[in-house]
Amino acid sequence: MKNLWLTNYEVVKAFNNNVLLVKQNNVEKILFGKGLGFGKHSGDIINKKSKIDKIFTIENKENFHNFKQLITNIDSNIIGLCEEVILLISNELKEPINEKIHISLTDHISFTLKRLMANDEIENPFLIETETLYKKEFEIAKKAVKMIENRLSINIPDGEIGFIALHIHSARNQGKLSNTLKYTFLCNTIIEFIEDELNIEIDKESLDYVRFITHIRFAVERILKNNSIKNDLLNTIKNQYTSTFNLAKQVSNIIEKELYVNVVDDETAYIAMHIQKFINAAQ
């Protein structure tokens, strides 16, 4: 990581020993550095001898307003820990992340910790789908959860890994957590529908499941971008696997209703091919 040597940063707030909120020329930024916040108080100056490892700036005024509200309502140590988690995410991804993560993930982790302290059960109905669709984000989320557990001496359920993975994916996707959740919910809905219609239980650890969920993800992206797809086996599938194609047509209807789009028969035929694999595996 590149070291940054800066001067004339005025401390606004020390979150913990490693994370500071500072101000320079009326612009507030988040600074990271090992021991950087030790003994620091509001009004102190970070001089040129201070070793700074990373700087985050929340540029959007609304985002920064929301961040300021958060830091008045959440314990400073939790804010600092969340920022270190965000630093971990940034370093692991090695790519720009949306600044909304400073608000959304911090708020989420804070709320999760409160629920855990109150012994409230945390369930994640989309855990397997999330791990399948967003493998990189899921692996990073594991590291984030481990950091929180080690720092706070607390046990965090696996479902929380999935939730944090969704926030990470959102940060890579212009901060659109709602769309991420919608696609994950859609995959879960489709799987449950197929299981009910076929009266089977799909093995969530199977390669067929992984391939199907991955196909649905990219199919949705294609459909939303209006990218056409050609399936040379369309007529064969319609004729030889009529009932499977009809079931796939119902899956396409679910996608159409949820996303207000049109799913062409070529796309439906690919879905039918995956469904047929589930049927074969269950026989």
Side-chain angles (χ1 to χ4, degrees), residues 192-208:
E192 289 184 351
F193 172 76
I194 294 173
E195 287 181 324
D196 289 343
E197 289 296 312
L198 297 176
N199 194 28
I200 63 173
E201 183 174 349
I202 295 172
D203 182 5
K204 306 302 191 300
E205 302 295 328
S206 69
L207 186 57
D208 287 340

Side-chain angles (χ1 to χ4, degrees), residues 49-94:
K49 294 183 179 181
S50 299
K51 184 180 179 182
I52 299 169
D53 297 322
K54 188 83 172 183
I55 302 173
F56 283 134
T57 303
I58 303 178
E59 298 180 352
N60 180 277
K61 290 183 178 180
E62 181 180 354
N63 289 339
F64 189 74
H65 173 73
N66 292 334
F67 180 75
K68 293 285 279 189
Q69 282 190 318
L70 273 182
I71 66 178
T72 60
N73 296 319
I74 299 176
D75 181 85
S76 293
N77 287 318
I78 298 300
I79 295 286
L81 175 57
C82 290
E83 286 298 328
E84 290 188 76
V85 167
I86 293 169
L87 177 63
L88 166 70
I89 293 168
S90 175
N91 290 341
E92 290 286 333
L93 287 175
K94 296 181 176 63

Side-chain angles (χ1 to χ4, degrees), residues 155-172:
N155 291 322
I156 297 177
D158 288 344
E160 183 60 23
I161 298 173
F163 289 128
I164 292 178
L166 289 176
H167 279 280
I168 296 172
H169 180 72
S170 168
R172 304 179 73 189

Side-chain angles (χ1 to χ4, degrees), residues 10 21 43 48 50 71 79 95 100 102 119 133 140-141 144 160 183 191 222 255 258 266 272:
E10 180 183 344
L21 180 65
K48 63 182 180 181
S50 299
I71 66 178
I79 295 286
E95 65 184 57
K100 283 186 179 180
H102 294 277
N119 293 319
L133 288 172
I140 297 173
E160 183 60 23
Y183 301 154
I191 287 295
R222 283 195 300 271
I255 296 173
E258 288 291 334
D266 294 86

